[in-house]
Amino acid sequence: MISFSEHHGLDADDLLGPEGLVAEQWPNFESRPEQLAMARRVQEAMREGFHLTVEAGTGVGKSFAYLAGAIDQALEQKGKVLISTHTINLQQQLIEKDIPFLSNVLQGGFTARLAKGRSHYLCRRRLNYAVKHKAMLFDEATAELGLIVDWAEDSSGGSRSELETMPSAETWQSVCSEHGNCQGRKCRYYKNCFYWQARRKLETADIIVANHAILFSDLVLKEAGGSVLPDYHRVILDEAHTIEHVAEDHFGIRVSQFGLNYLLNRLYNPKKRKGILAFHKQAVTAKELITKCRQAVQVFFAQVQAWYAHAGGDNNGCCEPEFVEDNLGPMLKELRLELGKLSKATKNEDDQFELGRYTDQLGAAETDIKDFVLQRKNDCVYWVEIKTGRRKNTLLRCAPLDVGPHLKRTLFDEYESVVLTSATLSCGGQDQAGFSFFSGRVGLEEFKSLQLGSPFDYEQQVQMFIEANLPEPNNPDFVEAASEAIKKYLLKSDGRAFVLFTSYVMLKKTAANLEDWLAEQEMELLVQGGGIDRARLLEHFKADVRSVLFGTNSFWQGVDVPGESLSNVIIVKLPFAVPNHPLIAGRIEQLKKQGHNPFFSYQLPMAIIKFKQGFGRLIRNKTDEGIVVVLDSRIARKRYGQQFIAAIPKCLVEVVSTEEY
């Protein structure tokens, strides 16, 4: 039975204890002291109103632990709890497995809903508009539209994920729900609107599950008086080690040459004679301005590319204010004003809303370009990226040197209890001291902390090998030597390995070295960036037990491969961030000016956290076992190397060396 002592909510021990409700319903459930400790602490944070960081090792069962706290708030009717994750997989686990299971155990008493971005939902009004104007809007999307129309008649949720076949981006963007392109209660489809049905369900939910991108969009909009989510009172951030990176995008600027041309083509593409203005009788001036804007885009980005070719390489794309002339912003403004006139002149309400949405997008692009060229956002790094290959693109990027003040202002100062959890938040050191790097980066000043180890027996399950005699990674001989070492350890594990790199350049060189050898060993080589998307690559790896996967950044974290398919994780190079990346370089320079040593205060702790993430790919349950190999000899040669070893769970470590270091 649920106990009702001083509060009327849910006692963590009664839910997750050895004789708790979960144990009664789930015969194979093992009550874990670490999980209980976390659940108690999360409940305490939410009841008493303080911020909490929890590092919980693999196998603790974090989701049940923080759900105990969220459900406790729901049962006490203390207001909505928002649970935010970084990956879709974890969202699905929460909303499809963990929450329904706990709801069944507790026989209801609370509701939970998944929050998706507005563009995930079909807009019936825009679908009707697209069907009526398909000859004007599309080139070859008629069949896709027909499938969407048939699906919409039977769909209960109207979410794009329900479609058996994903439509093209062009088709979906013509029929999805959009902010600024919605009539709200005045719309004839309002009662049956998929987006507003979902929004009403969120309004009545006790627990909302979202992702970090939606959360930060909501925080930014709330400052401006808007929102994308209903009001919530407490926040739980799982996979919290990613929030600094996600926040960079939401508090910065990103302008794409490809994106601007795409926007203009959606208005009117003269080659195909398609677009919203294609057959608009009063759009002669607007079409002329679109042509001028397209030319202005070409001239503007030609300036940017010329600057990059001449001076950008000297500082990795970092640019000064007014490094080029803004010939583009004024042209976008002219087009925006003309579309505004066109919208007022048209009598068709649907046309008005479509034109109004493009007006908003042009206004946002105009502002971003002006802000970038004049560098009007303070304490930010501004840089240019040139993408080559099949789809060439030039990007203007801006990000805060420190997202901490933004997160403090919009998140930690606004909500009385924010719980942040991950398996990798600390950089060594016990209690709150271990979280100092993370908390400093995200603006978390007053908080309590909890560090929990894994219930798994790493000393029995893992053996680590350190190749202390290999050349250091910046040595020209490293790739050849590392390739030979990789062969040795792949034979030891019979394939079944992740080989983790920090750059595509080194990955490709090593893959070229080992391709023929792997074929001789009948081990399939799977290479990230080879044309297969990450999800399919991972499924292929799981299906072929002896395969070997070469991966970079996204395979260091958020990848779960329990069982024999993954028995070997080879870390080719310690994951120090590239110091000449504009944002990293800017932060290093800022720390120097503040009197800090950037290597020890920023680069090293960031690398340690990522190293822990890579190490954590190997053991995903109590029966997993295998080896972790480190080919970067600096972990044995350099004094700081011991900090990497100290940060991971204690396991058997063998230094492969003929010398003593």
Side-chain angles (χ1 to χ4, degrees), residues 382-394:
Y382 295 79
W383 75 96
V384 173
E385 292 180 6
I386 305 288
K387 304 287 186 183
T388 57
R390 187 171 59 88
R391 181 183 283 183
K392 296 179 181 179
N393 195 14
T394 302

Side-chain angles (χ1 to χ4, degrees), residues 400-585:
L401 283 165
D402 183 3
V403 301
H406 299 283
L407 292 178
K408 181 181 185 300
R409 183 183 70 250
T410 61
L411 179 63
F412 300 120
D413 289 351
E414 289 295 316
Y415 299 94
E416 65 177 28
S417 180
V418 180
V419 175
L420 306 101
T421 185
S422 167
T424 53
L425 290 183
S426 75
C427 301
Q430 294 299 311
D431 301 322
Q432 203 150 325
F435 295 91
S436 59
F437 173 72
F438 170 75
S439 62
R441 295 305 310 164
V442 301
L444 181 58
E445 294 179 353
E446 295 183 12
F447 66 100
K448 297 181 181 180
S449 63
L450 179 65
Q451 280 181 286
L452 298 166
S454 170
F456 299 151
D457 189 351
Y458 281 85
E459 291 186 80
Q460 293 297 318
Q461 292 176 259
V462 181
Q463 183 172 9
M464 174 180 278
F465 294 93
I466 295 173
E467 284 283 341
N469 274 348
L470 289 186
E472 291 190 9
N474 60 353
N475 188 304
D477 298 327
F478 175 75
V479 172
E480 289 294 332
S483 298
E484 293 303 310
I486 289 170
K487 291 179 184 178
K488 176 173 66 174
Y489 291 106
L490 291 182
L491 289 174
K492 192 177 184 70
S493 63
D494 193 30
R496 303 184 295 168
F498 274 3
V499 186
L500 300 178
F501 295 82
T502 58
S503 78
Y504 277 112
V505 174
M506 189 176 287
L507 181 153
K508 289 175 181 176
K509 287 181 180 177
T510 310
N513 282 352
L514 295 176
E515 186 175 9
D516 292 341
W517 181 85
L518 285 163
E520 290 172 7
Q521 305 303 315
E522 297 182 342
M523 297 177 187
E524 183 173 7
L525 174 61
L526 303 172
V527 178
Q528 186 180 6
I532 303 176
D533 68 49
R534 180 176 178 268
R536 286 176 58 205
L537 205 62
L538 193 59
E539 288 305 313
H540 200 142
F541 177 79
K542 291 177 181 178
D544 185 346
V545 176
R546 297 184 72 243
S547 60
V548 178
L549 192 152
F550 281 24
T552 57
N553 186 51
S554 64
F555 280 94
W556 285 75
Q557 58 181 318
V559 178
D560 195 7
V561 187
E564 63 175 343
S565 291
L566 182 59
S567 301
N568 182 359
V569 172
I570 300 175
I571 295 173
V572 176
K573 182 181 177 183
L574 293 176
F576 288 103
V578 179
N580 58 3
H581 183 281
L583 188 54
I584 302 299

Side-chain angles (χ1 to χ4, degrees), residues 181 310 520 626 642:
N181 193 359
H310 177 68
E520 290 172 7
Q642 186 56 38

Side-chain angles (χ1 to χ4, degrees), residues 20-29 101-102 104-107:
L21 294 169
V22 172
E24 288 179 7
Q25 297 289 327
W26 185 2
N28 294 326
F29 176 75
F101 175 81
L102 292 176
N104 183 58
V105 165
L106 295 167
Q107 298 179 354

Side-chain angles (χ1 to χ4, degrees), residues 17-265:
E19 298 179 0
L21 294 169
V22 172
E24 288 179 7
Q25 297 289 327
W26 185 2
N28 294 326
F29 176 75
E30 296 179 8
S31 180
R32 283 155 279 186
E34 298 90 350
Q35 187 182 58
L36 267 176
M38 179 176 173
R40 293 182 192 122
R41 197 63 165 146
V42 171
Q43 287 191 344
E44 184 182 352
M46 292 193 166
R47 290 171 184 170
E48 297 180 12
F50 59 82
H51 301 323
L52 174 69
T53 61
V54 183
E55 180 176 78
T58 307
V60 165
K62 294 188 295 295
S63 58
F64 273 24
Y66 60 67
L67 283 170
I71 294 168
D72 175 56
Q73 291 298 302
L75 296 177
E76 286 203 81
Q77 298 183 337
K78 292 292 186 179
K80 285 180 174 55
V81 177
L82 179 77
I83 299 174
S84 180
T85 77
H86 184 58
T87 60
I88 293 173
N89 287 345
L90 183 51
Q91 279 183 30
Q92 290 174 334
Q93 176 191 316
L94 289 169
I95 211 73
E96 295 173 10
K97 295 180 181 179
D98 295 351
I99 291 174
F101 175 81
L102 292 176
S103 178
N104 183 58
V105 165
L106 295 167
Q107 298 179 354
F110 69 95
T111 57
R113 299 289 182 187
L114 176 65
K116 295 183 179 182
R118 184 167 194 154
S119 63
H120 284 264
Y121 295 98
L122 177 73
C123 172
R124 295 182 189 273
R125 180 184 61 80
R126 296 193 73 216
L127 176 60
N128 186 49
Y129 183 88
V131 170
K132 282 183 179 179
H133 299 88
K134 60 186 176 185
M136 175 178 77
L137 295 172
F138 304 112
D139 193 14
E140 299 176 346
T142 306
E144 288 186 334
L145 270 182
L147 291 173
I148 293 173
V149 169
D150 293 341
W151 163 73
E153 290 179 1
D154 299 322
S155 175
S156 58
S159 172
R160 182 178 54 181
S161 60
E162 297 175 14
L163 282 160
E164 291 184 8
T165 304
M166 285 291 118
S168 67
E170 181 183 22
T171 303
W172 185 255
Q173 286 180 17
S174 297
V175 300
C176 68
S177 180
E178 289 183 327
H179 174 72
N181 193 359
C182 177
Q183 298 175 350
R185 294 179 182 275
K186 295 179 181 178
C187 179
R188 57 191 178 278
Y189 297 107
Y190 178 73
K191 287 185 178 179
N192 296 319
C193 173
F194 293 121
Y195 168 73
W196 286 108
Q197 284 176 346
R199 180 64 189 250
R200 286 191 287 272
K201 289 177 181 177
L202 288 181
E203 293 282 0
T204 60
D206 300 303
I207 298 169
I208 297 174
V209 178
N211 62 30
H212 296 342
I214 295 175
L215 168 62
F216 288 124
S217 294
D218 189 61
L219 296 178
V220 171
L221 277 173
K222 275 187 166 65
E223 276 202 304
S227 68
V228 293
L229 295 170
D231 286 341
Y232 42 90
H233 299 83
R234 289 161 182 79
V235 180
I236 297 171
L237 291 159
D238 200 347
E239 301 175 310
H241 60 276
T242 64
I243 65 171
E244 180 183 10
H245 178 65
V246 177
E248 289 166 7
D249 289 336
H250 284 77
F251 294 105
I253 298 170
R254 182 187 181 95
V255 179
S256 157
Q257 181 180 8
F258 177 84
L260 286 170
N261 281 324
Y262 183 77
L263 173 60
L264 294 173
N265 283 335

